C-alpha cells in the first residue's frame, strides 16, 4: 500500500534510475584547447518493452534538456550517432536507447563499427528484469548454465566498456566510467550500459554532486623527450621518408600541424581512408591515398621509402597492401599514435602522444632539415601525372550518354566547395573515392572503411548534418548498399534534414562482382538478375544470368517521402546534382551507371589485397587465380 511520496534526503534528488541517467547525461561536457561542448548532444530511440516506461518516460520529462530523435532501425541510429561523433572530432556524440531482445541485438553491427573506427557512442539497451519476477519474460534468452546472461552480452566484445545496472546506486560508478571511456582518445569506442527494465523505473535518492555539471578535459599527451629525439634522428637520417596520415590526425584536429611539418621538411604525405583530407588535395606534399585503393604516386613512394612515419594510423591491411607494400630492404617505421597498441605496430619506434602535439614537436625537433630537392621533384611530378589520370576518369566526352561511376564523381567534383561533405562506406565507391576524390577541406571526405558497413551512409549523413547544419551533406550509395538500410530516409523527411542521397543503380554487388572475378569465383551470386535455371523444378540451381530485375530504387526513395530527381545522362546528372545541392529538403538523385571502359574507368588497384583463393579447384578460373595469388603472396614480409 502506497504511503505517498518519499521525502529525499538532504543534498539528494529522488528520481528513477532512468530519470537520473538522462539528467546526468545532459550535464556532461568535454573541453579541449579551451573549447567546451556537450558530450551527449541528443538521444536516439525506438521504444518497446524494456525502455518505453523507463528511458522513454525520462526523455519525455526532460524536454529540451535532452533532445530526442525517433529512429527506424536500431543499427541506423548508431550509425547516425557515429557520423555525428566523427564530424565533432569525437568531442561530442549521441546516445541510443532500445528495447530488449531484437532491438538490443540490432545494435551490435553499429557498435562494432564505432569501436573499430575508435569513435564514441553511448548505447542504452533495455534488459530483462533484474528482480526476475517472471522467468523468462518476452524476448529473454535462457542460458541454463548462466542465469545472469542476456542478449545484451553480445555487445560485450564490440564495446570498449560494458556494464549492466542491476541496482540504481550501481549507476553512479558505471556512468562515470562510461564517460571516462567516451572521452579518452586512446580508449574510446562503443560504450554500453545495459538497463534492466525494472531498475530503470526504480526510484533512488541521487546525490546532487552526481547530477551537477561535469567537464571531461580531453588530454593532449606530449611525446617522451627521449623517444622524440630518437624519432627526429631517424627522420633526419632518411633519404626517402614518407608520412602516412590516418584518422588520428583528423580526430586530433592536427591538420595544421601536419601541414607545417610537411612544408618545413618537404616530406610527402599519403593518407588512409580515415585520414584523407588531412592535407588539401592541391597541397604540393599531398600524394593521395595509400594502399590497395591508393594512388600510383603514394604506392610507388611507399615501395621505395626507407622510413615511414605513421601519424594516427592503425595500419589496416588496405593501408599496407596486406603487408606487401613497404618492400625496401631495411625500411623502418616511426609511429606517432595516442595508443601504445598502435604505436608499436610494424616494429616501429613508438612515439606515444596526441597527433597534434606530436607533429608540432617533430616540426620543432627537425628545424632546418629538409629532404633532397630531387625527391620533392620526383613526387610532385608523380602527383601531376596522377592528376591527369583523375581528369581522364572524370571526363565525359559525350554528355548525352549514361554516366560511369567515376564520371558521377567528376560531376560532383565540379559542383562542390569546401563546405560540402561526402559520405560513403562500402562497395566500389570507396576505392574510386580514395584514388580520385579531391578533398577541399579537412572534413569533406567521410568514408567509413574500418568496418566498411553497407547501409552506413544515409543515417551517417543525418548525423553529420546535425553536427554541421547548413552544409551540403552527400550520401553516395550503390544499389546494394541502399537496399541494406534505406529506412532513415523517413527520419530525414520527418526532421527535414536536407541530406542529398545519390543512388547509383548498377544491378548488383559491383565491388564483390569484380573481386569474385579476380579470385576465380566467376562473379557467382553478385548480380541482381533473374535466375536462369536448367531445371525449373530445382530451386537454388542455375545462375543469375538473366535480365536485370525491374527494381526502381528511385520510386522506393520517393515512397519514403524523399524528393527524387532522375538522371539518365551525364548532362541530366549535372543539372540534377546542382538542383539537389541547392535544395532545402531531403533530396535524392537517382541514376543508372554504365560499366566503366578504359577511357573513363577508374585506374586499377596500385597495390595488392589478400583474399585467399582456393588451393585446389577444378574450374580453370580458380586455378589461374590461385597461381596469381601465390605470386603476390610471395612478396609479403614481416617488419621486425
Amino acid at each position: 500500500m502506497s504511503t505517498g511520496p518519499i521525502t529525499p534526503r538532504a543534498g539528494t534528488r529522488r528520481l528513477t534510475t532512468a530519470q537520473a541517467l538522462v539528467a546526468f547525461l545532459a550535464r556532461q561536457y568535454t573541453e579541449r584547447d579551451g573549447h567546451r561542448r556537450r558530450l551527449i548532444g541528443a538521444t536516439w530511440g525506438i521504444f518497446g518493452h524494456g525502455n518505453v516506461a523507463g528511458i522513454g518516460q525520462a526523455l519525455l520529462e526532460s524536454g529540451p534538456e535532452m533532445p530526442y530523435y525517433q529512429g527506424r532501425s536500431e543499427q541506423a541510429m548508431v550509425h547516425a550517432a557515429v557520423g555525428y561523433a566523427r564530424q565533432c572530432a569525437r568531442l561530442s556524440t549521441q546516445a541510443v536507447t532500445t528495447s530488449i531482445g531484437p532491438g538490443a541485438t540490432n545494435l551490435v553491427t553499429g557498435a562494432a563499427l564505432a569501436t573499430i573506427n575508435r569513435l564514441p557512442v553511448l548505447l542504452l539497451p533495455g534488459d530483462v528484469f533484474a528482480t526476475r519476477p517472471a522467468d523468462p519474460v518476452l524476448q529473454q534468452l535462457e542460458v541454463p548454465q548462466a542465469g545472469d546472461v542476456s542478449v545484451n552480452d553480445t555487445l560485450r566484445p564490440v564495446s570498449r566498456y560494458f556494464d549492466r545496472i542491476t541496482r540504481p546506486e550501481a549507476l553512479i560508478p558505471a556512468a562515470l566510467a562510461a564517460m571516462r571511456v567516451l572521452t579518452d582518445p586512446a580508449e574510446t569506442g562503443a560504450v554500453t550500459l545495459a538497463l534492466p527494465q525494472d531498475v530503470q523505473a526504480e526510484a533512488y535518492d541521487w546525490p546532487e554532486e552526481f547530477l551537477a555539471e561535469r567537464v571531461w578535459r580531453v588530454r593532449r599527451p606530449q611525446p617522451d623527450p627521449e623517444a622524440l629525439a630518437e624519432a627526429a634522428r631517424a627522420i633526419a637520417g632518411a633519404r626517402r621518408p614518407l608520412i602516412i596520415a590516418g584518422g588520428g590526425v583528423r580526430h586530433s584536429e592536427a591538420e595544421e600541424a601536419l601541414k607545417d611539418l610537411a612544408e618545413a621538411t618537404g616530406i610527402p604525405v599519403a593518407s588512409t581512408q580515415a585520414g584523407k583530407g588531412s592535407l588539401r588535395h592541391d597541397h604540393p606534399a599531398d600524394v593521395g591515398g595509400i594502399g590497395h585503393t591508393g594512388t600510383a604516386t603514394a604506392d610507388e613512394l611507399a615501395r621505395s621509402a626507407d622510413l615511414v612515419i605513421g601519424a594516427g594510423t592503425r595500419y589496416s591491411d588496405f593501408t599496407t597492401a596486406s603487408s606487401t607494400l613497404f618492400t625496401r630492404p631495411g625500411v623502418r617505421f616511426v609511429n606517432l599514435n595516442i595508443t601504445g597498441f598502435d604505436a608499436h605496430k610494424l616494429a616501429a619506434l613508438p612515439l606515444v602522444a596526441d597527433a597534434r602535439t606530436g607533429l608540432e614537436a617533430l616540426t620543432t625537433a627537425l628545424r632546418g632539415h629538409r629532404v633532397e630537392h630531387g625527391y620533392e621533384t620526383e613526387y610532385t611530378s608523380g602527383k601531376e601525372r596522377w592528376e591527369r589520370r583523375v581528369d581522364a576518369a572524370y571526363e565525359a566526352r559525350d554528355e548525352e550518354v549514361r554516366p560511369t561511376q567515376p564520371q558521377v564523381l567528376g560531376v560532383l567534383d565540379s559542383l562542390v566547395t569546401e563546405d560540402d561533405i561526402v559520405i560513403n562506406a562500402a562497395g566500389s565507391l570507396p576505392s574510386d573515392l580514395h584514388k580520385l576524390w579531391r578533398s577541399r577541406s579537412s572534413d569533406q571526405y567521410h568514408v567509413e572503411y574500418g568496418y566498411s558497413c553497407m547501409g552506413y551512409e544515409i543515417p551517417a549523413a543525418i548525423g553529420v548534418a546535425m553536427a554541421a547544419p547548413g552544409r551540403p551533406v552527400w550520401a553516395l550509395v550503390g544499389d546494394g548498399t541502399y537496399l541494406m538500410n534505406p529506412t532513415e530516409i523517413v527520419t530525414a523527411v520527418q526532421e527535414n534534414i536536407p541530406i542529398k542521397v545519390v543512388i547509383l543503380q548498377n544491378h548488383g554487388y559491383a565491388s564483390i562482382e569484380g573481386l569474385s572475378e579476380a579470385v576465380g569465383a566467376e562473379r557467382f551470386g553478385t548480380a541482381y538478375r533473374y535466375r536462369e535455371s536448367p531445371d525449373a523444378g530445382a530451386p537454388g540451381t542455375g545462375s543469375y544470368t538473366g535480365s536485370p530485375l525491374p527494381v526502381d530504387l528511385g520510386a522506393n526513395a520517393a515512397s519514403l517521402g524523399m524528393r527524387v530527381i532522375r538522371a539518365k545522362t551525364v548532362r541530366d546528372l549535372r543539372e540534377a546534382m546542382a538542383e539537389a545541392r541547392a535544395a532545402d529538403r531531403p533530396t535524392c538523385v537517382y541514376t543508372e551507371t554504365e560499366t566503366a571502359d578504359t577511357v573513363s574507368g577508374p585506374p586499377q588497384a596500385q597495390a595488392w589485397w589478400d583474399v585467399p583463393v582456393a588451393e585446389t579447384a577444378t574450374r580453370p578460373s580458380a586455378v589461374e587465380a590461385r597461381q596469381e595469388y601465390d605470386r603476390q603472396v610471395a612478396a609479403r614480409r614481416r617488419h621486425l
Side-chain angles (χ1 to χ4, degrees), residues 92-142:
S92 182
T93 187
Q94 295 171 328
V96 178
T97 179
T98 71
S99 63
I100 70 173
T105 54
N106 284 347
L107 296 173
V108 173
T109 296
L113 181 148
T115 296
I116 286 170
N117 285 284
R118 320 291 210 264
L119 292 167
V121 64
L122 178 61
L123 309 179
L124 305 173
D127 212 326
V128 296
F129 287 82
T131 52
R132 305 184 191 179
D135 200 17
V137 297
L138 179 65
Q139 299 177 328
Q140 179 177 339
L141 173 70
E142 292 186 274

Side-chain angles (χ1 to χ4, degrees), residues 241-292:
L242 172 67
I243 297 171
I244 298 178
V249 174
R250 293 181 56 182
H251 299 328
S252 178
E253 297 176 304
E255 294 89 352
E256 281 299 313
L258 176 65
K259 178 173 173 282
D260 291 344
L261 177 62
E263 291 179 352
T265 63
I267 301 175
V269 178
S271 56
T272 69
Q273 288 278 14
K276 188 174 173 73
S278 296
L279 287 185
R280 274 183 58 105
H281 76 95
D282 52 3
H283 191 283
D286 177 65
V287 294
I290 193 167
H292 179 65

Side-chain angles (χ1 to χ4, degrees), residues 297-617:
T297 310
D299 286 349
E300 287 164 9
L301 290 171
R303 292 185 182 98
S304 63
D306 56 359
L307 183 78
V308 178
I309 306 159
T313 178
R314 62 191 186 94
Y315 288 109
S316 76
D317 61 341
F318 261 66
T319 298
T320 67
S322 300
S323 298
T324 64
L325 187 56
F326 308 110
T327 55
R328 185 183 177 111
V331 61
R332 305 304 294 173
F333 297 81
V334 171
N335 288 343
L336 166 61
N337 206 290
I338 193 74
T339 70
F341 174 76
D342 289 316
H344 281 83
K345 288 178 177 176
L346 303 180
L349 191 163
L351 202 58
V352 181
D354 169 73
R356 181 191 287 184
T357 60
L359 289 167
E360 290 171 344
L362 281 173
T363 301
T364 299
L366 291 166
R367 183 176 290 118
H369 171 74
R370 193 169 185 86
V371 299
E372 295 177 359
H373 178 69
Y375 185 44
E376 289 189 72
T377 301
E378 175 189 336
Y379 71 71
T380 53
S381 296
K383 176 181 173 68
E384 291 171 1
R385 288 193 299 273
W386 186 261
E387 286 303 312
R388 290 194 289 271
R389 295 182 72 176
V390 174
D391 290 338
Y394 281 175
E395 182 183 12
R397 296 177 182 176
D398 183 355
E399 294 216 335
E400 301 303 327
V401 299
R402 183 185 296 170
T404 64
Q405 183 166 281
Q407 288 169 347
V408 173
L409 299 183
V411 171
L412 186 58
D413 175 82
S414 70
L415 293 172
V416 301
T417 70
E418 62 183 15
D419 287 339
D420 295 69
I421 301 170
V422 176
I423 299 172
N424 184 244
S428 57
L429 274 165
S431 176
D432 288 358
L433 285 161
H434 202 205
K435 293 191 192 90
L436 305 176
W437 188 256
R438 292 162 169 159
S439 298
R440 291 159 172 80
S441 64
S442 61
D443 63 353
Q444 180 171 88
Y445 188 87
H446 184 129
V447 173
E448 185 284 302
Y449 217 56
Y451 207 42
S452 188
C453 185
M454 297 176 72
Y456 171 81
E457 295 89 344
I458 293 172
I462 292 172
V464 169
M466 289 176 172
R471 295 179 62 180
V473 179
W474 300 83
L476 309 183
V477 295
D479 47 11
T481 291
Y482 176 84
L483 285 169
M484 287 281 181
N485 206 359
T487 55
E488 294 319 299
I489 284 176
V490 178
T491 301
V493 171
Q494 181 180 41
E495 303 292 341
N496 195 31
I497 300 172
I499 62 172
K500 296 90 172 60
V501 176
V502 179
I503 302 176
L504 307 182
Q505 172 65 278
N506 54 25
H507 303 290
Y509 302 115
S511 173
I512 298 303
E513 185 176 45
L515 178 62
S516 175
E517 182 79 7
V519 299
E522 302 176 34
R523 306 190 177 213
F524 177 74
T526 60
Y528 290 169
R529 293 177 178 272
Y530 285 107
R531 185 191 294 276
E532 290 191 350
S533 172
D535 184 353
T541 63
S543 60
Y544 298 103
T545 57
S547 58
L549 298 177
V551 175
D552 188 340
L553 300 183
N556 178 263
S559 75
L560 297 177
M562 198 169 223
R563 182 187 175 210
V564 176
I565 309 172
R566 296 175 180 268
K568 292 184 177 180
T569 68
V570 175
R571 188 180 304 280
D572 293 343
L573 184 67
R574 198 175 302 280
E575 295 172 356
M577 283 188 163
E579 190 174 344
R581 187 174 186 275
D584 60 0
R585 55 176 284 195
T587 303
C588 170
V589 175
Y590 178 72
T591 187
E592 187 171 358
T593 55
E594 189 62 77
T595 302
D597 57 30
T598 57
V599 176
S600 59
Q604 295 298 310
Q606 306 298 305
W608 188 60
W609 181 45
D610 188 352
V611 176
V613 178
E615 194 168 1
T616 61

Side-chain angles (χ1 to χ4, degrees), residues 29-297:
Y29 294 85
T30 61
E31 186 177 286
R32 187 169 71 183
D33 305 328
H35 300 292
R36 180 182 295 193
R37 61 194 307 164
R38 275 185 64 155
L39 174 56
I40 307 298
T43 296
W44 290 87
I46 297 175
F47 295 114
H49 84 102
N51 69 339
V52 64
I55 293 289
Q57 189 277 335
L59 288 169
L60 173 65
E61 282 198 359
S62 73
E65 186 176 62
M66 175 57 72
Y68 162 74
Y69 293 102
Q70 183 185 70
R72 271 76 199 172
S73 155
E74 290 87 0
Q75 180 187 137
M77 293 192 297
V78 184
H79 293 337
V82 167
Y84 178 91
R86 175 168 168 171
Q87 187 62 30
C88 293
R90 306 195 300 190
L91 298 174
S92 182
T93 187
Q94 295 171 328
V96 178
T97 179
T98 71
S99 63
I100 70 173
T105 54
N106 284 347
L107 296 173
V108 173
T109 296
L113 181 148
T115 296
I116 286 170
N117 285 284
R118 320 291 210 264
L119 292 167
V121 64
L122 178 61
L123 309 179
L124 305 173
D127 212 326
V128 296
F129 287 82
T131 52
R132 305 184 191 179
D135 200 17
V137 297
L138 179 65
Q139 299 177 328
Q140 179 177 339
L141 173 70
E142 292 186 274
V143 180
Q145 72 275 17
D148 61 345
V149 171
S150 79
V151 296
N152 284 329
D153 288 275
T154 60
L155 288 159
R156 286 183 184 271
V158 292
S159 297
R160 294 295 289 175
Y161 179 82
F162 179 98
D163 205 347
R164 180 175 284 112
I165 313 303
T166 56
R167 289 293 306 145
E169 56 267 37
L171 177 65
I172 294 175
L176 293 171
M179 300 305 104
R180 175 188 61 78
V181 174
L182 287 173
T183 58
D184 187 332
E187 294 294 327
T188 196
V191 167
T192 300
L193 296 180
L195 302 169
Q197 55 183 312
D198 50 347
V199 178
Q200 288 182 50
E202 189 173 345
Y204 182 74
D205 292 341
W206 301 91
E208 291 286 357
E209 295 89 344
F210 178 66
L211 304 174
E213 283 192 5
R214 192 179 301 266
V215 178
W216 300 83
R217 288 180 173 81
V218 180
R219 57 197 175 94
R220 288 194 181 277
Q222 297 282 342
D224 174 74
E226 291 185 8
L228 175 63
E230 188 178 355
R233 285 193 298 269
I235 297 168
R239 299 191 64 186
R240 300 182 64 83
L242 172 67
I243 297 171
I244 298 178
V249 174
R250 293 181 56 182
H251 299 328
S252 178
E253 297 176 304
E255 294 89 352
E256 281 299 313
L258 176 65
K259 178 173 173 282
D260 291 344
L261 177 62
E263 291 179 352
T265 63
I267 301 175
V269 178
S271 56
T272 69
Q273 288 278 14
K276 188 174 173 73
S278 296
L279 287 185
R280 274 183 58 105
H281 76 95
D282 52 3
H283 191 283
D286 177 65
V287 294
I290 193 167
H292 179 65
T293 55
T295 69
T297 310

